[in-house]
Amino acid sequence: MQRLLKGLSAEGEALLDLIPGGVMQCRNDGGFTIVGVNEGFLGMFGFTKEEMAEQFQNQFLTMIHPSDRQNFLIEVDRQLIKGDRLSLSYRVLCRDGSYKWTASSAKLFGNDEEERFFCIFLDLTEVRDAQEKLRLSLEHLEIIMSQSSDIIFEWDLSADTISFSPNWLDKFGYPPNYDSRLPKERIFRNFHLDDVDPMAEFMQEAREGRSNAVVDVRIRNSKDQYLWCRIRSATQFSEDNKPLRAVGTISDIDEEKRMVEDLRRRAELDTLTGLYNHAETERRSELYLSGGPDTICAMFIIDVDNFKMVNDGQGHLFGDAVLAELAAGMKRLTRKSDVIGRIGGDEFAMLLKDLPSSQIAEDKARKLLEMFRHLFQGEKRPVAVSCSIGLAIYPWDGADYQSLYHCADLALYQAKSRGKNQFARFDAKSMGTVDRIGYSALGAAIDSDQNTGERGGNLVNYVFQILYDADDIDTAVEAILEIVGRRFDVSRAYVFENSAGGKYTDNTYEWCNEGVTPQKEFLQNYPYENVKGYKELFKDNSIFYCRDVHSLTPAQAALFESQGVCSTLQCALYNGKEFRGFIGFDECTGLRMWNKEEIGILSLVAQLLTTFLLKKREADRNQQIMIQLNTILDKQDAYIYAIRKDTYELLYLNEKTLRLDPMARVGMTCHRAFFGRNSPCGTCPLSGATEVYNPQYDVWTRVQFSPMKWVDSDAYLINCVDITDYKRLQGPEK
């Protein structure tokens, strides 16, 4: 004791220099006067002994950050009441003017004449910086979660419990419920009946360890409406590669699905009659027949007799009205399950399914003929309209669409040759000659629907199928640009997508025809400021069409001229009302006039690309944010976890914590997970303990906590720095 008070011997000072970190001896007076320090102390803060004497008069209190001094003095008094040891954390001034966070442990020695502290310092600057980054990261995560409309869930695979974020209640109007003990139908009682099996398969894949999975399902809300939702999950694995938990999101895609369904319907249907177009008629018929139905089916090919005379005598508008009424009459005489389509200008096809006999098919043909004859007889100016019908029967006349179509077409020829206004059933013997001649009654273009046309309907439907079936949207978009570019014989097809603030735009996809120079690499992060007024070019119907780029402003014209563009057609990409970019088609070989049909088709293609591209960008952004946040948390060299206030339930554990105890799980209480206790620990950090020993792991930690919000719950973030080596260095207390 006397030696400590009078100063250490040279050998003692040399021994102190071997201790990692800083060592200081100071008096227990008002300024904590420095009596001696080791080389580690001088190296930690950068001062020499002479500089400390000159600059601070050896008063250690003046080296402490002004904002920390009051708390330092309070803590010293508070801890001395309990004993002769101190454990503090505060900032100390360094020679370069910065402040360094330190953890100091001190023991008081002395007698009535003089008391001194023997202090050991550890540098916590990097830890505190990491804690601040973590705090900001968690705040960032909380902001994202609070602003996101997606529902976040976590499924503990071992306990088979699922927790959902509170916005489930906001979205569906009732709390979620999951009980694996119930039958499958009860577990998924709020899912659409058709989606129960896909959802069960999705969950089974997660149980078996599939890394990433996605499924689209319909979930009922409190108003008994089913909303389309996209469920994504990612599986986390233990060190021995066993699935531990599945974490994911539930996104509302109802509007997107309905838009896609609307686009699909528009792509499938003939605009004038509302029947299926030729391509969709064939697709649906072939799909049904490929299943090998064990019942009779009938294929009808129907042609309006002398329709050209109706058009020439009454006009095309009247002709269109006749076709629309014929279509409505056919719908009334058939079932929803039957396939009815317009396959040419005045030609129709019907596939009637599941008929009791071929006689029923012939009766249906007679009823159709009767309906056609009397359709317009009640008009003020009656019009005589008749049709001819060719009939083929499955399975005798063919087992697939093309075979039945061919036979019904030959039968239609026979009905026409017999005087029209009648039906004929295919007969292989009597129609063999016709078949050898190769006659076809079909093939006329649809001349009453010039705005979209069959070609356009087929193209839009094809584009939709590519996007809907694509696993890689980027590859799909590149393919679509080439398909559309070649179909319309343009020089260049491309997509531009705007930056978050809308000030810049990037050429993200591009296809060029032969001999055309690509421009994509020159049009990245391009400022709209360089071509002022460009966005306003899309204000009318979201279409910007320019036959001659020289008619634009000088800046706008210069942009196109630099790329060799003569004419351009561009369709805006909108997310709600927000302008997010455009899809464009350039002509570089000369001026070009785009007709209404081409503009209509390309507008539909642009809508399809907009829907899928914007959803992909949102998914990419969310995935990147989650990866960054998880990386930040998992790279911290500290045991970090979050607990719910009052219940002590674990809400989050970082990677280092899980390595320490792989059995710890979200949902367990911290005292159960880390100490095997049924009640909170006596040394709980929330009660004021700053250093905690865990006998279960033989680990000492310095603990700090701070209150926070975890989604909508009050919680604490707890940060534990491993100081086991430091405590062992101190040795047993004497």
Side-chain angles (χ1 to χ4, degrees):
M1 178 68 70
Q2 294 301 320
R3 177 168 291 181
L4 279 171
L5 295 178
K6 292 180 179 180
L8 292 170
S9 66
E11 295 84 356
E13 291 183 358
L15 182 61
L16 289 180
D17 288 337
L18 296 177
I19 297 177
V23 177
M24 176 187 74
Q25 187 180 161
C26 65
R27 295 190 178 94
N28 184 16
D29 55 18
F32 298 89
T33 304
I34 298 172
V35 175
V37 295
N38 74 340
E39 289 299 323
F41 183 94
L42 299 175
M44 183 178 294
F45 302 113
F47 294 105
T48 65
K49 294 179 181 179
E50 292 75 18
E51 287 171 336
M52 288 192 296
E54 179 181 348
Q55 188 169 342
F56 307 108
Q57 292 75 49
N58 284 327
Q59 300 293 293
F60 180 66
L61 184 62
T62 61
M63 295 179 66
I64 298 175
H65 193 289
S67 299
D68 296 343
R69 290 174 192 168
Q70 185 66 27
N71 186 61
F72 172 83
L73 294 172
I74 292 172
E75 279 297 305
V76 169
D77 291 341
R78 187 181 69 82
Q79 293 186 32
L80 286 179
I81 293 173
K82 297 180 179 180
D84 57 0
R85 291 181 178 273
L86 301 179
S87 181
L88 302 168
S89 178
Y90 47 87
R91 289 167 287 182
V92 178
L93 180 65
C94 298
R95 190 173 185 277
D96 61 5
S98 65
Y99 281 90
K100 186 167 291 188
W101 274 102
T102 65
S104 70
S105 292
K107 184 172 177 59
L108 184 64
F109 296 91
N111 50 37
D112 294 338
E113 295 180 5
E114 183 180 13
E115 291 181 330
R116 292 184 184 181
F117 287 107
F118 185 82
C119 309
I120 297 177
F121 294 84
L122 291 178
D123 187 348
L124 293 182
T125 303
E126 291 186 2
V127 173
R128 293 303 293 257
D129 289 345
Q131 289 175 337
E132 178 62 14
K133 290 180 181 178
L134 174 63
R135 183 187 67 80
L136 294 174
S137 298
L138 290 174
E139 283 186 3
H140 191 187
L141 177 61
E142 185 177 349
I143 291 170
I144 292 171
M145 292 176 68
S146 64
Q147 293 183 348
S148 173
S149 59
D150 289 354
I151 298 164
I152 300 172
F153 68 87
E154 181 170 334
W155 181 14
D156 186 328
L157 295 171
S158 59
D160 200 18
T161 57
I162 302 179
S163 59
F164 298 85
S165 57
N167 46 351
W168 172 289
L169 182 62
D170 299 334
K171 173 64 65 177
F172 299 111
Y174 55 84
N177 181 41
Y178 175 77
D179 188 343
S180 61
R181 297 168 298 179
L182 296 172
K184 181 174 64 176
E185 292 72 16
R186 290 284 307 280
I187 295 174
F188 303 120
R189 65 182 180 277
N190 292 317
F191 287 73
H192 193 282
L193 185 61
D194 294 341
D195 299 330
V196 169
D197 288 340
M199 188 63 198
E201 182 179 350
F202 171 84
M203 296 185 71
Q204 183 60 33
E205 288 176 348
R207 287 191 182 96
E208 294 172 354
R210 180 171 176 178
S211 298
N212 294 281
V214 61
V215 65
D216 291 350
V217 294
R218 287 156 289 187
I219 303 177
R220 182 185 60 82
N221 64 15
S222 58
K223 299 178 181 178
D224 283 331
Q225 301 167 327
Y226 283 97
L227 304 179
W228 275 105
C229 297
R230 177 161 297 148
I231 305 179
R232 295 185 178 90
S233 76
T235 303
Q236 295 178 316
F237 297 87
S238 63
E239 291 183 354
D240 55 355
N241 206 33
K242 292 183 179 179
L244 292 176
R245 65 180 61 82
V247 181
T249 59
I250 303 175
S251 307
D252 183 346
I253 60 167
D254 195 65
E255 183 177 350
E256 171 196 344
K257 275 283 190 179
R258 296 188 188 284
M259 181 185 299
V260 167
E261 280 302 313
D262 179 62
L263 290 169
R264 180 198 282 275
R265 183 184 58 79
R266 291 167 63 182
E268 292 174 347
L269 300 183
D270 170 63
T271 306
L272 174 65
T273 63
L275 303 177
Y276 294 122
N277 58 35
H278 194 170
E280 190 61 21
T281 301
E282 179 176 352
R283 189 187 73 82
R284 287 178 177 262
S285 299
E286 186 59 49
L287 181 65
Y288 179 76
L289 294 171
S290 64
D294 55 5
T295 56
I296 294 172
C297 302
M299 171 69 76
F300 293 80
I301 302 295
I302 303 168
D303 181 78
V304 181
D305 297 328
N306 306 314
F307 186 67
K308 187 176 185 302
M309 294 176 59
V310 175
N311 267 341
D312 292 345
Q314 305 292 337
H316 284 278
L317 290 177
F318 184 83
D320 287 353
V322 168
L323 295 175
E325 286 297 320
L326 288 172
M330 284 186 277
K331 287 181 182 179
R332 289 194 295 270
L333 289 178
T334 54
R335 302 159 296 181
K336 282 188 175 182
S337 59
D338 297 326
V339 180
I340 315 173
R342 183 183 178 203
I343 58 175
D346 59 340
E347 289 90 19
F348 302 87
M350 296 171 52
L351 178 68
L352 305 188
K353 306 174 184 177
D354 304 325
L355 300 178
S357 67
S358 59
Q359 184 62 45
I360 298 297
E362 294 183 9
D363 292 343
K364 182 67 70 174
R366 294 186 184 94
K367 290 180 181 179
L368 285 168
L369 291 172
E370 187 69 15
M371 182 268 294
F372 294 148
R373 295 187 192 106
H374 297 91
L375 193 60
F376 297 100
Q377 287 189 356
E379 300 290 322
K380 183 175 181 180
R381 298 175 61 184
V383 178
V385 175
S386 66
C387 294
S388 299
I389 301 175
L391 171 62
I393 304 295
Y394 168 92
W396 300 295
D397 300 331
D400 56 58
Y401 175 80
Q402 290 297 338
S403 300
L404 287 174
Y405 184 101
H406 178 66
C407 292
D409 189 26
L410 293 174
L412 174 62
Y413 169 76
Q414 189 173 52
K416 290 280 191 182
S417 63
R418 290 175 179 172
K420 305 178 181 179
N421 192 22
Q422 58 187 283
F423 81 91
R425 179 176 170 179
F426 175 76
D427 176 67
K429 293 181 180 179
S430 61
M431 297 182 185
T433 302
V434 176
D435 193 10
R436 287 191 295 273
I437 294 174
Y439 171 82
S440 175
L442 303 180
I446 299 179
D447 54 7
S448 57
D449 186 15
Q450 294 298 321
N451 289 334
T452 57
E454 184 182 2
R455 179 182 71 164
N458 291 344
L459 176 62
V460 173
N461 191 31
Y462 184 48
V463 168
F464 171 81
Q465 288 297 332
I466 291 175
L467 290 169
Y468 192 78
D469 296 335
D471 293 326
D472 183 352
I473 291 296
D474 293 327
T475 301
V477 172
E478 295 283 3
I480 288 167
L481 291 180
E482 180 174 0
I483 291 168
V484 175
R486 292 191 183 281
R487 175 68 65 89
F488 291 97
D489 191 26
V490 298
S491 299
R492 186 184 295 114
Y494 47 84
V495 176
F496 277 78
E497 296 180 72
N498 294 349
S499 63
K503 294 183 178 180
Y504 302 90
T505 190
D506 292 294
N507 188 178
T508 51
Y509 303 93
E510 181 187 54
W511 169 84
C512 294
N513 217 328
E514 290 78 5
V516 177
T517 304
Q519 299 294 315
K520 183 177 178 180
E521 66 175 298
F522 308 114
L523 296 170
Q524 300 301 313
N525 204 33
Y526 192 87
Y528 278 112
E529 187 177 16
N530 289 0
V531 281
K532 292 183 178 179
Y534 198 88
K535 298 177 184 178
E536 283 68 32
L537 296 173
F538 295 93
K539 60 184 178 181
D540 295 328
N541 299 320
S542 302
I543 300 295
F544 163 44
Y545 163 57
C546 183
R547 183 172 178 271
D548 186 352
V549 298
H550 295 96
S551 64
L552 301 172
T553 66
Q556 295 166 355
L559 174 62
F560 287 108
E561 289 172 355
S562 67
Q563 303 170 56
V565 178
C566 302
S567 302
T568 189
L569 171 66
Q570 295 179 352
C571 306
L573 304 178
Y574 281 103
N575 186 8
K577 295 183 179 180
E578 182 182 1
F579 177 69
R580 297 294 297 273
F582 51 90
I583 299 171
F585 308 91
D586 290 342
E587 186 57 62
C588 300
T589 61
L591 300 183
R592 175 167 180 165
M593 177 72 74
W594 295 82
N595 61 40
K596 186 176 180 181
E597 175 188 357
E598 293 170 330
I599 292 174
I601 294 169
L602 293 173
S603 296
L604 283 174
V605 171
Q607 288 182 50
L608 284 169
L609 287 172
T610 299
T611 299
F612 285 89
L613 274 176
L614 292 180
K615 205 66 181 178
K616 171 180 167 53
R617 297 306 178 220
E618 180 185 354
D620 290 346
R621 180 180 63 85
N622 290 339
Q623 183 180 16
Q624 189 62 34
I625 289 173
M626 293 304 295
I627 290 173
Q628 291 171 351
L629 291 176
N630 282 330
T631 300
I632 290 171
L633 295 171
D634 287 338
K635 294 301 181 184
Q636 303 304 308
D637 189 21
Y639 307 114
I640 300 170
Y641 57 95
I643 61 173
R644 194 184 305 275
K645 185 179 180 181
D646 299 331
T647 66
Y648 298 90
E649 176 188 353
L650 285 167
L651 300 171
Y652 168 80
L653 303 94
N654 77 336
E655 185 176 303
K656 180 164 183 169
T657 307
L658 288 171
R659 285 201 304 268
L660 178 68
D661 188 346
M663 301 304 294
R665 296 285 184 276
V666 169
M668 298 173 67
T669 61
C670 56
H671 44 267
R672 165 59 64 184
F674 302 139
F675 292 90
R677 294 174 54 90
N678 294 323
S679 59
C681 310
T683 57
C684 177
L686 302 183
S687 66
T690 57
E691 292 184 357
V692 176
Y693 174 69
N694 190 316
Q696 187 167 318
Y697 316 121
D698 190 22
V699 169
W700 275 95
T701 56
R702 181 176 299 282
V703 184
Q704 291 182 322
F705 71 91
S706 58
M708 62 174 294
K709 277 284 189 181
W710 188 273
V711 190
D712 289 337
S713 300
D714 291 327
Y716 291 105
L717 178 67
I718 299 177
N719 185 80
C720 305
V721 179
D722 192 331
I723 59 170
T724 305
D725 292 341
Y726 161 63
K727 295 295 287 187
R728 288 173 179 165
L729 184 62
Q730 281 187 308
E733 296 182 12
K734 296 181 180 179

